[in-house]
Amino acid sequence: MDIVLLGSGNVATHLGKGLKGAGHHIVQVYSRNKAYASALASLLKADTIDNITAIRQDADLYILAVTDEAIPPLAEELSPAITGIVVHCSGATPLAVLHHFSRYGVIYPPQSISKTVEADLSKIPFGIEGNDTSTSQYLLELMQKISSLSFLCSSQQRLALHIAAVFANNFSNALFQISHDILKQHELPFDLLKPIIAETAQKIQNNQPKDVQTGPAKRGDQQTIRKHLDFISENSNWVKIYQQLTEEITIQNR
């Protein structure tokens, strides 16, 4: 299969490497930043493209691995004469943004991916959606050869998965930073929390999260909650976050 990668960032890098490793041919890597395109193209033995008009129109698959904001204008710039499948990799962008192509879809990995860190794609689930049954099945079979965890999903399910991933990953990471800052203010290393973070992540592999919840909110320990709020009272944002999450845990455990 001949594939054109549009984008040179995290997802483009790992998808390109994964698809090439599966025996496919990455023929072009496009980016407005020629240096970025060149770096990835060199890795994938592909041609470097920084002019949208130089994109081949006879490839089998076009992957728009760019930011959500860049997908609509990039899709509009591509020739509607393209006969291959055009996909984007966003969790929140509608499928319909690609409607002017004859075959189109989505390959969405609900995973935090960095091009500087090796990723085992076989352990990443890919949400697959196509504009018709045959396209969906084609994309599913393509990605299941890279990850058996790949699955079909609707646009609504994909958006739900994206939102859930933000809560589970981005928001929890922001909470880790708050924990880091509290400890740093009191001359304690963040390493002290790494065992409990790892234990919590391990527990939810085989349990529903609320079933392994612990802490003062779970116990209804108002005295400890008040002590905590008083301790962080100089940071009003932390107080609001603490109160909101305490209320959420209380509701979950009624």
Side-chain angles (χ1 to χ4, degrees):
M1 176 187 293
D2 287 345
I3 299 171
V4 173
L5 270 179
L6 294 98
S8 55
N10 299 328
V11 175
T13 297
H14 286 291
L15 267 182
K17 290 166 64 177
L19 289 164
K20 182 176 177 62
H24 301 291
H25 185 204
I26 312 301
V27 294
Q28 292 179 319
V29 174
Y30 165 82
S31 175
R32 286 189 173 87
N33 186 315
K34 190 170 184 178
Y36 291 161
S38 181
L40 182 54
S42 177
L43 179 66
L44 300 174
K45 310 299 182 190
D47 293 333
T48 300
I49 303 296
D50 65 347
N51 186 334
I52 199 74
T53 61
I55 296 289
R56 286 176 45 171
Q57 296 185 24
D58 61 346
D60 301 298
L61 180 65
Y62 297 79
I63 302 176
L64 279 62
V66 295
T67 63
D68 287 15
E69 295 80 6
I71 292 171
L74 181 55
E76 288 294 330
E77 288 184 77
L78 287 175
S79 170
I82 286 173
T83 57
I85 301 174
V86 181
V87 302
H88 68 65
C89 303
S90 167
T93 303
L95 175 67
V97 75
L98 303 175
H99 73 277
H100 55 284
F101 301 104
S102 58
R103 301 181 72 191
Y104 53 95
V106 180
I107 296 173
Y108 166 58
Q111 178 76 14
S112 179
I113 296 176
S114 173
K115 63 181 176 182
T116 58
V117 179
E118 284 300 318
D120 184 352
L121 298 189
S122 69
K123 296 181 179 179
I124 296 176
F126 287 87
I128 305 300
E129 185 178 7
N131 67 304
D132 56 37
T133 301
S134 64
T135 302
S136 296
Q137 194 60 37
Y138 184 90
L139 293 173
L140 179 64
E141 291 175 4
L142 169 70
M143 293 310 299
Q144 282 188 331
K145 291 177 182 176
I146 294 175
S147 170
S148 61
L149 301 176
S150 299
F151 63 100
L152 293 175
C153 65
S154 67
S155 292
Q156 191 79 352
Q157 289 172 322
R158 177 162 49 86
L159 181 57
L161 181 57
H162 188 261
I163 294 169
V166 168
F167 271 98
N169 180 57
N170 305 131
F171 290 171
S172 63
N173 195 62
L175 295 178
F176 293 156
Q177 185 60 47
I178 292 174
S179 298
H180 175 279
D181 294 344
I182 291 172
L183 292 176
K184 185 177 180 181
Q185 286 178 6
H186 296 276
E187 301 180 351
L188 290 167
F190 183 65
D191 284 355
L192 294 172
L193 290 183
K194 290 181 180 178
I196 196 171
I197 291 171
E199 180 189 15
T200 301
Q202 182 58 42
K203 282 179 179 177
I204 62 165
Q205 301 304 312
N206 300 301
N207 296 280
Q208 187 174 341
K210 74 173 186 177
D211 292 339
V212 293
Q213 183 66 264
T214 61
K218 165 75 172 180
R219 300 190 302 269
D221 185 349
Q222 295 302 318
Q223 182 177 349
T224 298
I225 290 170
R226 285 193 295 270
K227 285 182 181 178
H228 289 176
L229 289 171
D230 183 61
F231 191 82
I232 61 174
S233 60
E234 292 184 2
N235 190 312
S236 60
N237 203 43
W238 290 356
V239 168
K240 287 188 289 185
I241 292 170
Y242 188 106
Q243 289 175 324
Q244 187 65 54
L245 290 176
T246 294
E247 181 180 355
E248 179 63 27
I249 292 170
T250 301
I251 292 171
Q252 289 177 359
N253 288 279
R254 283 176 180 166

